[in-house]
Amino acid sequence: MVLYEYPFNERVRTLLRLESLFDTMFFFVRQPDPRAHHVALNVLFEILDVTARADLKSDLLQDLERYRQSLGSLREHPGIDLAALDAMLAGIEQASAALVAQGKTGQPLRQNEWLTSIRSRLSIPGGACEFDLPSFHAWKHKAPAQRSQDLVQWVEPFLPMRDGLAIVLKMLRESGRQLSAVAEQGVFRQMLGGKAYQLMRVYVEGDDAGIFPEISANKYMVSIRFSTQGGDMKPQPVMEDIRFQLALCNSL
């Protein structure tokens, strides 16, 4: 199954973007090739840009506090796994404390003059060649372990935010119940009656046809049009019934 996620609001959209950026960065950090570390640094600067939103940290703290209160109220319910509950609450409290203790997200990177100079050149197509940035070229010829260590050090100020959003997205995803659905002649619509969901998850069979959903949604209706890619990669509407799985998530 191939999973497609659709956020209903800008807050969840930002969390999904950050999750993807962190995943991409750490993938390239683990590679020994200097070109991979070039990409990792570029992704780190994208993380810096996305986390510049002033309300992102406060929104995460509010979400974590709501989860803490909601889970804490389950302690007296029969059949609750108290060990698992305590572990989740401890993780939430640890993530919250780290976010509170943190200053402005990414401030150490913004104050690093060398990284600032690299960042300004990376914004120019091909602007990080050795004749433009000899110091960056020299850094890419250091031992792979040293470059990885540098990248891990530079991303460290963002880890409290990464840990916090990981908890929020995990709880959000687990709140949705996966159901079977059919898109008749490639189209599926469902009325939501004004209920404000946070996230939609669509599971499609991964096959050679390359079928994918084009999604639009608001608090009143979900609309999914399934398409496939033609020879020129241009999306072509599917005109047959498509079976898929759907989950609507709203844990907040």
Side-chain angles (χ1 to χ4, degrees):
M1 302 291 282
V2 180
L3 171 63
Y4 297 85
E5 292 187 315
Y6 184 88
F8 280 77
N9 55 60
E10 190 61 30
R11 181 178 60 82
V12 176
R13 188 184 305 273
T14 299
L15 296 183
L16 292 174
R17 284 173 173 162
L18 273 175
E19 179 187 54
S20 176
L21 288 172
F22 279 119
D23 180 69
T24 300
M25 181 189 168
F26 282 110
F27 171 83
F28 284 108
V29 167
R30 290 190 291 268
Q31 312 306 313
D33 195 288
R35 290 166 294 187
H37 289 171
H38 181 137
V39 175
L41 188 57
N42 206 25
V43 175
L44 178 60
F45 292 141
E46 292 187 52
I47 293 172
L48 184 63
D49 289 336
V50 176
T51 55
R53 280 184 45 183
D55 59 343
L56 183 57
K57 178 179 173 180
S58 61
D59 285 348
L60 270 180
L61 285 170
Q62 290 173 13
D63 290 343
L64 291 170
E65 177 59 22
R66 280 195 287 269
Y67 285 136
R68 188 189 67 80
Q69 293 180 4
S70 177
L71 291 175
S73 66
L74 298 176
R75 186 174 295 278
E76 304 303 324
H77 287 210
I80 291 295
D81 186 337
L82 291 178
L85 179 61
D86 287 341
M88 178 59 71
L89 287 170
I92 290 174
E93 291 177 2
Q94 182 178 351
S96 297
L99 278 169
V100 170
Q102 179 189 56
K104 184 177 180 181
T105 305
Q107 191 62 22
L109 265 69
R110 293 184 177 90
Q111 295 174 339
N112 187 312
E113 293 183 5
W114 185 75
L115 288 175
T116 299
S117 68
I118 303 301
R119 183 186 182 191
S120 65
R121 294 301 308 183
L122 286 177
S123 65
I124 302 171
C129 291
E130 64 272 17
F131 50 83
D132 291 309
L133 290 173
S135 65
F136 185 47
H137 189 64
W139 177 79
K140 289 193 291 184
H141 280 77
K142 289 184 176 181
Q146 179 61 57
R147 294 196 309 270
S148 295
Q149 182 178 337
D150 289 340
L151 288 164
V152 169
Q153 178 185 342
W154 294 332
V155 79
E156 187 174 357
F158 299 95
L159 296 185
M161 185 161 288
R162 182 205 60 174
D163 296 341
L165 72 87
I167 292 173
V168 169
L169 288 176
K170 178 178 184 295
M171 298 289 287
L172 180 57
R173 285 164 173 149
E174 291 179 352
S175 71
R177 188 159 62 98
Q178 191 170 325
L179 301 172
S180 296
V182 177
E184 296 181 359
Q185 294 187 323
V187 177
F188 174 85
R189 292 187 178 92
Q190 179 176 321
M191 304 305 294
L192 300 181
K195 184 172 182 179
Y197 288 98
Q198 304 286 324
L199 179 70
M200 178 166 57
R201 313 185 85 202
V202 176
Y203 302 80
V204 183
E205 288 286 351
D207 55 26
D208 294 336
I211 293 173
F212 59 91
E214 296 181 295
I215 304 170
S216 62
N218 53 42
K219 64 181 180 180
Y220 301 107
M221 186 179 74
V222 165
S223 177
I224 304 175
R225 154 63 74 180
F226 285 90
S227 300
T228 187
Q229 290 175 322
D232 58 356
M233 304 304 288
K234 183 179 180 180
Q236 301 291 333
V238 173
M239 303 306 296
E240 61 189 60
D241 291 356
I242 302 296
R243 297 186 180 276
F244 65 101
Q245 302 287 316
L246 173 71
L248 291 167
C249 309
N250 184 26
S251 63
L252 301 180

